[in-house]
Amino acid sequence: MVDFDALAAAMGELDEDTVKEMLEEVMAEGGQDAENAMKACQKGMDTVGKYFEEGEYFVGDLIYAGELMTDAVSILKDALVGDGGGSGEKTKMILCTVKDDLHDIGKNIVRAMLEAAGFEVLDLGIDVPPEKVVEVAKAENIRIVVLSGVLTLALNSMKDTVEALKAAGLDCRVLIGGAPVSEEARVSTGADAWAYSPQTTVATCKAWAAE
Amino acid sequence: MFEKLSKAEAEKTVKERTELFLDVVRKRKKPDRVPLVSNDGLWKLIDQDIKFSEGLHDYDTLHEAVCKYQEMYGFDAHADYCVLNKVAFQESFGKPRFIITDEPPTLSITDTFSMKDEDYPALAEKGIVKFIFEDMLCRHYEYESKEEAVEHLKKAVQELIRYNEYCGRIYGTMVEEYGVPNLCAGGYQMPFEFFVSGLRGLKNTSLDLRRHKEEMIEAMEAIDERLWGEFMSYAPYIENDGTFVFDTYTCPMAYTLLSPKQFEKFYWPWMKKYFDFVAEHDQTAFIYAEGAIKNKLEFLQDLEDKRFGILLEQDDPVEIREKLPNFTLMGGYPTTLLGEGTVEQCVDKAKEMMETVNYDGNWIFSFDKLASFEGGVKRENLLAVLDYLRSVKL
């Protein structure tokens, strides 16, 4: 039987060979421990986030971690689906890079980490206009929206999106993330929270989902 | 306004400005005032009301915009004359990598790549030039035949000639008509940058750092054979004739992907070679550090004094001044304040930085982040800051 603490540690250390060997072993044993394996991987991703916060891991490590997590889900997915989705009902949320900004690497890292944390992420892509966010938020009854951007210009689009959500009467919590954000930017855009790191984004969204 | 100068005035002014910079960088004496360098990206075009789609393709328009910009602000040097991105040259290959919009003005770059995992041995064996022409070109641009590739290459050569002509012309105009020295005479790029900026892209490079470690090192050696060879063909012979500030520059960007441990393996050996060269030849060097450098300071702290300048983008200038006393600091003035603040706030910030950053006269004024977007800088704010800094005698 797989040692899940060792699996979490291997994920945290980004030891790809060990992670994949252990996950293959879970599947070879019938897949009944897939959910525990997923939880161990999520725990490992928390470690990755912690290392990033502490300055031990850098952007390249986060991208690698996101890829490794995607591979992990891919290995386990048959068993997880067979279990009815593994971690039960997920919180559905919106993630996108805002209008006039085409950067998606940071967004994709955050997406991988949000999915690893159990969220059902509706990734609307890049250069997404406010009306698209409103449309999907209405249709899917969304309560959490994460807006990403790299350009300083993105702050204007973030503000427009927050205002559009409010104007549509939607009760969403909005987090802004990416290179240009700050507390000042949060205030000027009208967002509820801001985050420079994926880890803070995940922690904030988890707290909102738990409310 | 800072109008064009007569030939004699321009000759005198360019030498005075160069001396001013060298007083700071070489720490020869306290400079008379703070040298002023623009680091505004494409804001020059926005400020002069030129559309990106026009300015980045029409070099006459671009030349005129840069000249008017200089007449407006009177900088002592410019980090860039809107030439960092060879947009028209790149487009001539037929698969645009840059995405330009005019409303609002934006220039974005796609994370494209064509080198595959299994290509590493070929790159190491063939070297970068042969590898690109034999293995990458047709694949990357999806050419269906060699003839199609040749047609595009002909266009690319023409565009490169146009680009080089513009560069030569604007550098010459600034020196000869405005008395503005060029910031650097030449440059060297670390081989690691090539992986991110074209060969493998950001994501794959991140994966390769763990999956293809040794192959990456071998490939970088092969890439550097070309890069260093080119650099060596002229760099040892550079002699400052009073028309430029730094002898050479390097522009680290992809290093932000790397942890200090990875940096030591994948970046530092080549960077150190460059720094050693600069010291051995008693030259000066300028580091345009995109992103944040603070996690790599340990590598820079022991470098020789009085020859290195560094432009900051995301670091705290006060902290870097304290931790890198061997460097001349350029920049650190918050671009966002120039865009969003009042004249009074902007001048107050300049006064503050004169005390916290320029306490010993070893600072060159410039912005922290590029301002290549609408509203990036308010003209009245920048003019007020520059006027104030010019007025302060050290």
Side-chain angles (χ1 to χ4, degrees), chain A residues 88-103:
Chain A
E89 191 180 346
K90 294 176 173 180
T91 301
K92 211 184 264 189
M93 60 175 291
I94 286 175
L95 170 69
C96 67
T97 302
V98 294
K99 189 171 183 302
D100 300 325
D101 198 326
L102 305 172
H103 295 84

Side-chain angles (χ1 to χ4, degrees), chain B residues 323-341:
Chain B
K323 293 183 175 168
L324 284 184
N326 50 334
F327 273 67
T328 292
L329 183 70
M330 188 189 294
Y333 187 95
T335 309
T336 47
L337 189 62
L338 290 170
E340 294 172 11

Side-chain angles (χ1 to χ4, degrees), chain A residues 10-185:
Chain A
M11 181 59 104
E13 296 303 320
L14 298 177
D15 180 350
E16 181 176 20
D17 292 343
T18 303
V19 168
K20 288 186 174 173
E21 272 171 27
M22 292 176 116
L23 295 179
E24 297 289 1
E25 194 181 329
V26 167
M27 295 306 284
E29 288 170 355
Q32 56 269 40
D33 278 329
E35 192 170 337
N36 288 330
M38 200 63 225
K39 283 179 182 165
C41 289
Q42 288 168 354
K43 198 174 161 192
M45 289 295 274
D46 286 343
T47 306
V48 170
K50 180 171 154 276
Y51 284 165
F52 180 74
E53 293 282 327
E54 291 170 354
E56 188 166 330
Y57 281 171
F58 277 64
V59 176
D61 299 306
L62 287 187
I63 293 172
Y64 184 82
E67 186 76 3
L68 186 51
M69 194 67 198
T70 305
D71 289 351
V73 172
S74 175
I75 293 170
L76 296 173
K77 69 172 189 249
D78 288 345
L80 290 173
V81 171
D83 260 1
S87 53
E89 191 180 346
K90 294 176 173 180
T91 301
K92 211 184 264 189
M93 60 175 291
I94 286 175
L95 170 69
C96 67
T97 302
V98 294
K99 189 171 183 302
D100 300 325
D101 198 326
L102 305 172
H103 295 84
D104 67 355
I105 289 169
K107 172 183 72 64
N108 293 343
I109 293 168
V110 170
R111 176 185 167 165
M113 293 191 60
L114 285 166
E115 286 179 342
F119 286 92
E120 184 179 345
V121 181
L122 302 178
D123 184 349
L124 306 187
I126 58 174
D127 194 17
V128 179
E131 52 271 25
K132 178 71 181 173
V133 177
V134 170
E135 179 193 326
V136 176
K138 263 187 191 169
E140 300 288 342
N141 196 24
I142 295 295
R143 288 177 49 233
I144 300 175
V145 175
V146 173
L147 303 175
S148 170
V150 168
L151 307 174
T152 312
L153 181 72
L155 296 177
N156 296 336
S157 300
M158 288 173 177
K159 187 179 180 188
D160 292 345
T161 308
V162 172
E163 285 174 356
L165 286 164
K166 283 181 182 163
L170 294 170
D171 183 23
C172 296
R173 295 290 195 93
V174 181
L175 180 146
I176 56 171
V181 305
S182 61
E183 177 57 19
E184 291 76 25

Side-chain angles (χ1 to χ4, degrees), chain B residues 165-377:
Chain B
E165 280 173 352
Y166 165 73
C167 291
R169 192 173 148 212
I170 192 68
Y171 293 150
T173 300
M174 284 294 138
V175 169
E176 291 160 17
E177 297 182 22
Y178 294 94
V180 175
N182 295 308
L183 201 56
C184 307
Y188 167 68
Q189 196 72 316
M190 308 303 149
F192 183 76
E193 297 288 341
F194 279 66
F195 288 102
V196 175
S197 65
L199 291 173
R200 294 286 282 155
L202 196 54
K203 180 180 165 186
N204 285 310
T205 302
S206 301
L207 306 183
D208 292 353
L209 286 167
R210 290 172 182 271
R211 290 178 180 167
H212 296 289
K213 277 184 197 172
E214 299 312 318
E215 288 167 295
M216 277 186 103
I217 299 286
E218 280 177 30
M220 283 196 286
E221 297 287 2
I223 293 170
D224 197 54
E225 204 169 303
R226 175 78 184 189
L227 299 180
W228 191 254
E230 280 181 7
F231 185 63
M232 283 299 103
S233 70
Y234 69 88
Y237 316 109
I238 291 174
E239 284 184 23
N240 200 335
D241 59 357
T243 62
F244 56 87
V245 179
F246 293 94
D247 293 302
T248 59
Y249 78 98
T250 188
C251 185
M253 181 174 71
Y255 77 98
T256 52
L257 277 182
L258 304 171
S259 68
K261 213 170 160 185
Q262 290 169 327
F263 180 82
E264 189 170 18
K265 186 177 175 77
F266 293 98
Y267 213 98
W268 179 241
W270 292 272
M271 201 173 210
K272 183 175 185 307
K273 179 169 71 171
Y274 169 64
F275 289 153
D276 286 347
F277 166 85
V278 172
E280 281 164 20
H281 289 75
D282 191 26
Q283 292 191 351
T284 55
F286 170 53
I287 302 159
Y288 190 112
E290 296 202 44
I293 193 91
K294 71 174 178 184
N295 295 298
K296 314 294 188 306
L297 294 182
E298 62 187 282
F299 296 94
L300 307 177
Q301 282 167 327
D302 293 333
L303 292 177
E304 222 178 89
D305 197 7
K306 302 178 184 177
R307 59 177 79 254
F308 294 108
I310 187 165
L311 189 141
L312 303 179
E313 191 177 61
Q314 290 186 356
D315 295 288
D316 174 4
V318 177
E319 181 191 350
I320 300 299
R321 280 261 31 218
E322 186 190 325
K323 293 183 175 168
L324 284 184
N326 50 334
F327 273 67
T328 292
L329 183 70
M330 188 189 294
Y333 187 95
T335 309
T336 47
L337 189 62
L338 290 170
E340 294 172 11
T342 62
V343 166
E344 191 182 3
Q345 287 170 327
C346 290
V347 173
D348 284 347
K349 182 68 187 177
K351 287 178 183 170
E352 178 197 313
M353 290 187 74
M354 287 295 282
E355 290 178 12
T356 58
V357 182
N358 195 40
Y359 47 84
D360 59 356
N362 201 227
W363 179 49
I364 296 170
F365 168 84
S366 198
F367 319 162
D368 55 1
K369 299 184 183 72
L370 298 177
S372 305
F373 56 92
E374 208 160 53
V377 173

Side-chain angles (χ1 to χ4, degrees), chain B residues 123-184:
Chain B
L123 171 55
E125 188 192 324
K126 294 179 179 181
I128 186 69
V129 174
K130 208 171 173 194
F131 174 72
I132 284 176
F133 279 93
E134 288 185 0
D135 297 61
M136 289 272 289
L137 196 66
C138 288
R139 185 198 302 166
H140 186 77
Y141 292 107
E142 297 168 5
Y143 299 144
E144 289 178 3
S145 64
K146 281 187 180 174
E147 289 72 25
E148 189 185 354
V150 168
E151 284 309 306
H152 279 285
L153 281 174
K154 282 181 189 170
K155 286 182 198 163
V157 168
Q158 293 303 316
E159 278 302 333
L160 192 58
I161 290 170
R162 275 196 341 118
Y163 170 84
N164 286 336
E165 280 173 352
Y166 165 73
C167 291
R169 192 173 148 212
I170 192 68
Y171 293 150
T173 300
M174 284 294 138
V175 169
E176 291 160 17
E177 297 182 22
Y178 294 94
V180 175
N182 295 308
L183 201 56
C184 307

